[in-house]
Amino acid sequence: MSIEKVALLAGVSKATVSRVLNAHPGVKADTRDRVLAAISASEYQPNLLARQLRTAQSHMLLVLISDITNPFCSRVVQGIEAEAEAQGYHILLCNSASQRRRESAWLGLLTGKVVDGVITMDAASTLQDIAALIGDAPWVQCAEYDPAIAASSVAIDNRGAARETVRYLAGKGRRRIGLVNSDMRYLYSHQREAGYREQLEQLGLPWRGVAYAEEISCEAGSQALRQLLQQPEPPDAVLAVSDVLAVGVVHAALEAGLRVPEDLAVVGFDGIPFTRSLNPPLTTVEQPMYQLGARSVQLLLQRIRRPTSPVVRDLLPWKRVERASS
Amino acid sequence: MSIEKVALLAGVSKATVSRVLNAHPGVKADTRDRVLAAISASEYQPNLLARQLRTAQSHMLLVLISDITNPFCSRVVQGIEAEAEAQGYHILLCNSASQRRRESAWLGLLTGKVVDGVITMDAASTLQDIAALIGDAPWVQCAEYDPAIAASSVAIDNRGAARETVRYLAGKGRRRIGLVNSDMRYLYSHQREAGYREQLEQLGLPWRGVAYAEEISCEAGSQALRQLLQQPEPPDAVLAVSDVLAVGVVHAALEAGLRVPEDLAVVGFDGIPFTRSLNPPLTTVEQPMYQLGARSVQLLLQRIRRPTSPVVRDLLPWKRVERASS
DNA sequence: CTGAAAGCGCTTACAG
DNA sequence: CTGAAAGCGCTTACAG
């Protein structure tokens, strides 16, 4: 009704008001002025819902995330949001905790046409479930992905990064390099552990030590280190698959009376800003968090704009940031 | 059209399908069964946009946040999301960075009927600008608020918390208690500094030292401490208005060769989980982050459901968590 | 350059 | 208990 009010006020048809609103070229200058005047006089606000229904696009993106509280995730979301905004899109955030029930509630927004596409950062193990709900709607998998699913993905070479890190620690003279991994629902857990084992194999280092954290938290990291420390021969270095876990590893190490890095070198993963200000500052494998998010949006919009465009699998570069903990 | 397809398939009218979809009571059992069968046979998915347009409610909430990367904020968002979900609402997240341009783009979703209400966590100084855009739409201010604005708010007693913390440090024998504050666009900065000054006054402690961090980051916290350390008589204790700043304070202190807490006691603010695993573990003033979020949703829904319901100003309890840094 | 009309996919009084 | 019709507020061919 509201656009009708403006039309009445300006003495034109609804169609003309709509054309002015959408900046269509063929509108006579003084007609446009009259409409514009009526718009501001009436303080008209377009009903976006109606527009979305009519044009069948919402310019909204759904983001499914497992834990917004993880600094890695929140930084990626920042990249997603910035790029989305630059392209005229808004985002809905679902902190799914990888729970199927919650995810399907949110994915109803996809089938319900409330969003134009979805970016998932969920554990790979739940992606298969989700796939059925998403069908062939535009979908990009960010950081975590399932190679068996025909959707685009953006991530890093986790296996390579783990290999290189083990090689780096070995190069520093470490011989008993442990891995503090997260639970195996994540693809990256598999990939990083594979890289870890491969490289030890290749280097001919016999010692192995892998502990699995129950969740991504400092406490879980501490707990995992304590497990490794119980071995007859304890590790002299640890790679943790998350900076958050690494904080806990360092904490437990100091608590156990070890010196970092003298007795135990520690390397984290992700490159979260605060790692720089820890004591000691943490060596870490930095992921391009912001770009992971931004690139995901680009691939998604590509799909939304041209549904036939091919699936893309992107691997972004990582880099080691060396600090005092190793 | 889709509901029409189902209607055709079931041999009933669109109205009846709609009634079944919305679980209206007065539908004959076998009619309903026929409709249900048609729904699953056709894999019908309701168009939520159409429903929202028709019913004039979207069951979506807008959350305006200044920095999702701040662990305090992301934890509050978790509370918001959980409560929203429990009540059948979804959330849109805007990481506004307190930028007016971005905020107005998002608030267009409010006037455009895409969301039913808004929760802001923006700096108080920008709230006044926003107020005009929000008009009298349902609005709750979370953590940050402007007392002059007639919208509900949920926060803690910042002044009281600061007073108590100063008293606590003084009780530990500290005489030169400094404050690492954030920039003064925030209401909490004013409130906490007021409490800080009041309590020093009351205790008859003459020493004052306040440094302002340029942003909420570890580096900015370090920078602020370095300023305080330049005074002729350096502080023997510091209260930082954010745990993130406190991490930087501790880092800079150790770097300067000070022992924490022997030479410098440090207390943070917020109660972010990882403070427990720092070295040394950080004493902090814990805010009920999750509840701040959850309560905001409750007040907002109250407003949405009964637009005439009164403005509520809630103050939630905080508590000190004592650890080794003080 | 502009208007009348149809339609996006629902829900909801109003009849019967 | 069910259906026909109106309407939410837009946009977009189609005429003229």
Side-chain angles (χ1 to χ4, degrees), chain B residues 1-18 34-35 37-39 42 44:
Chain B
M1 207 59 131
S2 244
I3 208 179
E4 193 163 351
K5 198 177 67 177
V6 175
L8 246 43
L9 215 62
V12 298
S13 73
K14 295 190 304 176
T16 299
V17 177
S18 176
R34 252 191 3 264
V35 171
I39 286 175
S42 62
Y44 167 72

Side-chain angles (χ1 to χ4, degrees), chain B:
Chain B
M1 207 59 131
S2 244
I3 208 179
E4 193 163 351
K5 198 177 67 177
V6 175
L8 246 43
L9 215 62
V12 298
S13 73
K14 295 190 304 176
T16 299
V17 177
S18 176
R19 289 192 187 100
V20 172
L21 246 21
N22 294 288
H24 283 203
V27 178
K28 221 166 30 169
D30 75 312
T31 315
R32 191 182 51 233
D33 292 347
R34 252 191 3 264
V35 171
L36 256 18
I39 286 175
S40 61
S42 62
E43 294 193 316
Y44 167 72
Q45 299 283 3
N47 183 312
L48 266 27
L49 239 31
R51 179 180 293 170
Q52 291 171 4
L53 175 62
R54 183 54 232 248
T55 61
Q57 46 181 324
S58 67
H59 283 253
M60 306 228 276
L61 269 22
L62 178 60
V63 179
L64 238 56
I65 229 172
S66 56
D67 181 14
I68 186 67
T69 266
N70 182 331
F72 169 75
C73 292
S74 58
R75 179 72 181 146
V76 174
V77 168
Q78 230 177 22
I80 289 176
E81 223 230 289
E83 182 66 19
E85 188 194 297
Q87 309 249 14
Y89 278 74
H90 289 126
I91 65 164
L92 299 232
L93 184 76
C94 168
N95 191 203
S96 70
S98 293
Q99 286 170 30
R100 206 164 181 282
R101 202 194 79 257
R102 308 182 62 176
E103 279 160 353
S104 46
W106 283 84
L107 286 172
L109 298 177
L110 225 201
T111 45
K113 308 297 181 192
V114 175
V115 299
D116 295 337
V118 59
I119 295 176
T120 58
M121 292 187 65
D122 262 307
S125 67
T126 66
L127 257 23
Q128 205 56 253
D129 293 342
I130 292 178
L133 297 171
I134 295 183
D136 46 24
W139 177 16
V140 171
Q141 306 172 112
C142 179
E144 273 285 294
Y145 61 98
D146 182 334
I149 293 175
S152 294
S153 62
V154 186
I156 66 160
D157 175 11
N158 285 301
R159 216 175 97 230
R163 292 187 57 131
E164 277 303 307
T165 308
V166 167
R167 183 191 316 218
Y168 157 78
L169 286 167
K172 291 233 157 194
R174 307 292 168 161
R175 287 297 166 264
R176 298 186 306 282
I177 301 168
L179 178 69
V180 167
N181 206 345
S182 60
D183 69 82
M184 300 300 272
R185 296 175 309 151
Y186 294 92
L187 177 67
Y188 77 75
S189 309
H190 288 95
Q191 293 176 325
R192 292 177 195 169
E193 183 163 336
Y196 164 81
R197 292 186 184 278
E198 277 170 28
Q199 190 60 258
L200 286 179
E201 184 80 25
Q202 187 171 323
L203 293 169
L205 290 176
W207 195 95
R208 297 284 183 288
V210 180
Y212 301 93
E214 284 183 341
E215 53 170 20
I216 303 296
S217 71
C218 299
E219 284 76 18
S222 296
Q223 187 57 38
L225 180 69
R226 282 183 214 114
Q227 272 181 41
L228 291 181
L229 256 25
Q230 279 167 9
Q231 304 211 5
E233 271 202 313
D236 57 13
V238 161
L239 166 61
V241 297
S242 152
D243 287 334
V244 174
L245 292 172
V247 168
V249 166
V250 170
H251 183 68
L254 299 179
E255 220 171 37
L258 299 173
R259 292 165 305 163
V260 175
E262 294 82 351
D263 303 321
L264 186 77
V266 179
V267 178
F269 217 107
D270 288 348
I272 292 166
F274 72 65
T275 51
R276 188 142 74 110
S277 300
L278 297 175
N279 310 295
L282 186 70
T283 297
T284 183
V285 178
E286 186 178 294
Q287 300 198 59
M289 296 176 269
Y290 191 90
Q291 288 86 320
L292 282 169
R295 182 76 181 130
S296 296
V297 171
Q298 289 165 1
L299 292 182
L300 187 58
L301 291 187
Q302 201 170 299
R303 255 328 243 213
I304 289 173
R305 288 168 182 157
R306 237 171 25 94
T308 61
S309 63
V311 162
V312 176
R313 300 204 173 272
D314 256 17
L315 249 32
L316 266 35
W318 53 272
K319 78 162 188 265
R320 179 168 49 245
V321 179
E322 238 179 295
R323 302 209 187 91
S325 72
S326 69

Side-chain angles (χ1 to χ4, degrees), chain A residues 13 15-16 19 27-28 31 54:
Chain A
S13 73
T16 300
R19 289 190 188 103
V27 179
K28 228 175 14 178
T31 314
R54 182 53 231 245

